[in-house]
């Protein structure tokens, strides 16, 4: 598997790697457990689950709920999945207990349900289980990926968002990245990035950032039309998506198709504007992207220079962080090269 875990940019003998994972992980949503609020349960059922959550011994309830997941009654299945969803929402120890009790395969079956609420409960329970590192490989090997991708296509808005988060968690096992991409997840995540609500966009960008550390998925994302959404989100400073979109873009531009698409979608003036008025972090990642775009293309260097990039780059080279100063100086040198082949 060809993997790029970041942008490693070298020019004139100096290495200007992009920000480390610790620097840009804070830009993304954490995709933690079920954030959709509590559920409409009768008071006796609420008490049963809440008592079990507080109890040191929830094993008996868990065994009963796992059994109910395979009931012939959709209502019993729905209730069991909903209660497992609640049991695993905030209690890490329950995530392992539920998986070991045999819940994984019946929950995966529910993810394929035609009942939207049953599917949503199944997806979200799988998300909660995937937060436990010990469960990730077992979930993938048990067949969770394709049903989650199906939920990403057909589910409720909550199911789609939580499916994106579950796929993100499974993609943290390196061997799962390509199977997730080959299961059709990338175009659906690109669609969620472009057309989802605020949370959907954040969850999609986070999942795409993880999945696009491998070249095959980068190409799939570009072919799915991701660049249009990324450029639009970077241009909207009120979207709270500038950083997230720029970091996804910083991974993609290592492939030629992405550089071409970025230019075609009008990304160069957007990146120059970010260098002019963005935050320090946004300015630095915009420079990293433009370094890659310009390095091997005289035409793109000319375009960037004509967009007025040099004055804000000079300002950044004088007032930015040490890392940003070095990157800005390197791009200035590149833009001032003679513009002939």
């Amino acid at each position: 598997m060809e993997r790029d875990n970041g942008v490693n940019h070298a020019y004139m003998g100096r290495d200007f790697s992009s920000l480390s994972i610790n620097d840009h992980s804070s830009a993304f949503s954490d995709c933690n457990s079920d954030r959709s609020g509590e559920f409409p349960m009768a008071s006796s059922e609420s008490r049963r689950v809440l008592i079990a959550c507080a109890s040191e011994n929830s094993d008996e309830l868990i065994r009963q709920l796992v059994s109910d997941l395979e009931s012939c009654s959709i209502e019993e299945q729905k209730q069991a999945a909903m209660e497992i969803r609640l049991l695993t929402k905030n209690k890490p120890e329950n995530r392992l207990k539920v998986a070991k009790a045999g819940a994984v395969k019946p929950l995966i079956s529910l993810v394929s349900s035609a009942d939207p609420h049953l599917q949503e409960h199944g997806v979200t329970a799988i998300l909660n289980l995937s937060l436990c590192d010990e469960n990730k490989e077992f979930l993938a090997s048990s067949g969770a990926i394709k049903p989650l991708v199906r939920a990403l296509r057909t589910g409720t808005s909550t199911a789609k968002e939580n499916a994106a988060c579950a796929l993100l968690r499974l993609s943290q096992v390196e061997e799962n990245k390509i199977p997730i991409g080959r299961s059709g997840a990338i175009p659906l995540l690109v669609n969620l990035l472009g057309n989802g609500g605020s949370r959907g966009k954040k969850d999609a960008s986070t999942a795409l950032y993880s999945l696009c550390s491998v070249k095959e998925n980068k190409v799939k994302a570009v072919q799915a039309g991701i660049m249009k959404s990324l450029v639009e989100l970077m241009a909207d400073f009120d979207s709270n998506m500038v950083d997230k979109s720029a970091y996804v873009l910083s991974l993609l531009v290592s492939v030629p198709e992405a550089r071409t698409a970025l230019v075609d979608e009008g990304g160069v003036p957007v990146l120059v504007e970010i260098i002019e008025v963005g935050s320090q972090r946004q300015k630095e990642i915009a420079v990293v992207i433009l370094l890659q775009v310009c390095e091997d293309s005289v035409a793109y260097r000319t375009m960037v220079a004509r967009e007025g990039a040099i004055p804000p780059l000079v300002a950044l080279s004088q007032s930015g962080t040490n890392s940003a100063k070095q990157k800005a100086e390197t791009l200035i040198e590149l833009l001032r090269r003679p513009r002939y082949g």
Side-chain angles (χ1 to χ4, degrees), residues 91-138:
K91 296 276 285 185
E93 61 271 26
N94 284 343
R95 295 168 189 156
L96 194 53
K97 282 182 181 180
V98 167
K100 287 183 174 180
V104 168
K105 290 191 176 180
L107 283 172
I108 290 172
S109 296
L110 298 190
V111 173
S112 299
S113 172
D115 183 295
H117 298 296
L118 188 54
Q119 180 188 56
E120 181 183 312
H121 292 321
V123 168
T124 309
I126 291 288
L127 165 60
N128 292 352
L129 296 184
S130 73
L131 299 175
C132 174
D133 287 341
E134 292 93 328
N135 289 336
K136 289 175 184 173
E137 290 187 23
F138 182 54

Side-chain angles (χ1 to χ4, degrees), residues 282-298:
Q282 290 165 358
K283 290 178 180 181
E284 185 168 357
I285 193 63
V287 174
V288 167
I289 293 166
L290 288 175
L291 276 167
Q292 294 181 90
V293 169
C294 293
E295 183 174 24
D296 296 320
S297 173
V298 172

